[in-house]
Amino acid sequence: MKKNKKLGYAFILLISFALLPFLPACSNNIDHTSANETILESEIALSEPVPSKVETTERKLVKEGTIAFETDDLAETGKHIKEVIKQYEAYIASENEYKYIERQTRTLTVRVEARRFDAFINDITQGIERFDTKDIRTRDITEEFVDIQARLKTKKELEQRYLVLLQKANKVSEILEIEQQIGKLREDIESTEGRLRFLDNQSSYSTLSISYYKSIPQRVAFGREFVQGFSAGWQHFVWFILGLVNTWPFIVLVVLFVFFLRHWWKRRKGA
């Protein structure tokens, strides 16, 4: 029994010594495989980047409002609004004036710092007893803002990895392909940055639409309608005269026909 065990140990040792020359080659194959797997993982990392996480402690709120009211003096109300706008360091994004038969209306779109929005509305509407419209809205865009920030960070990280890969590229085809990918990525980054700036501006400055009007007395409206009616009547009269001028041959024929018909009738009656 002991003799068999010794023979077994000896056989194992012989096999081990026989395989020693092949161990370096196996090691090289393992290292080469590992290197290939590393390159493959790097390419996968470039093609499928993991979204980055962005933390924010500040909520992004967009405040918007619309107010409409009647006033007895358009000039005085406009002066008051302009003074409040200057006081709060706001600015007018757009201004329009409309004139109708029954009213005259002015509309302004004002942008003011979000932190001063509520106080701005209180001062603008001071002394107004009744509103035709008063609509104040608040939208929370924090989630959208954070999501865009995360996507922007991920795209910038991916751009840097492409730049590193570009430095290592040797073939012209590889260089052109990487540069094309970088160009597309740069367009996406600029577009995302633009959207981010827009949302930041929307949350930093609130928008208020102010519409105020003055009713026009009915007598003035009636006088205007009378003038318009007189003008329309004159136009119709002119068109009537032009119609007569254009049809004068037919009018002459009708007159002659009536004349001869009456003459014939009298002769027949006299006979």
Side-chain angles (χ1 to χ4, degrees), residues 113-144:
E113 286 185 271
R115 61 185 180 85
R116 310 178 74 181
F117 184 65
D118 296 332
F120 177 76
I121 293 178
N122 291 334
D123 286 350
I124 282 287
T125 59
Q126 188 176 4
I128 300 173
E129 297 179 356
R130 187 180 66 85
F131 291 93
D132 291 350
T133 303
K134 187 176 183 181
D135 182 22
I136 310 300
R137 304 172 299 277
T138 302
R139 293 186 293 115
D140 191 344
I141 60 169
T142 307
E143 184 176 351
E144 181 183 2

Side-chain angles (χ1 to χ4, degrees), residues 199-250:
L199 291 177
D200 188 55
N201 180 265
Q202 287 292 102
S203 62
S204 300
Y205 275 81
S206 299
T207 305
L208 179 65
S209 176
I210 307 169
S211 180
Y212 58 100
Y213 65 92
K214 180 182 178 181
S215 298
I216 299 175
Q218 192 64 29
R219 57 184 178 83
V220 178
F222 173 77
R224 185 174 298 173
E225 288 179 357
F226 179 80
V227 173
Q228 292 176 352
F230 182 81
S231 177
W234 175 255
Q235 291 293 331
H236 293 157
F237 176 73
V238 171
W239 282 110
F240 174 73
I241 297 299
L242 289 174
L244 292 177
V245 172
N246 290 326
T247 59
W248 70 267
F250 300 99

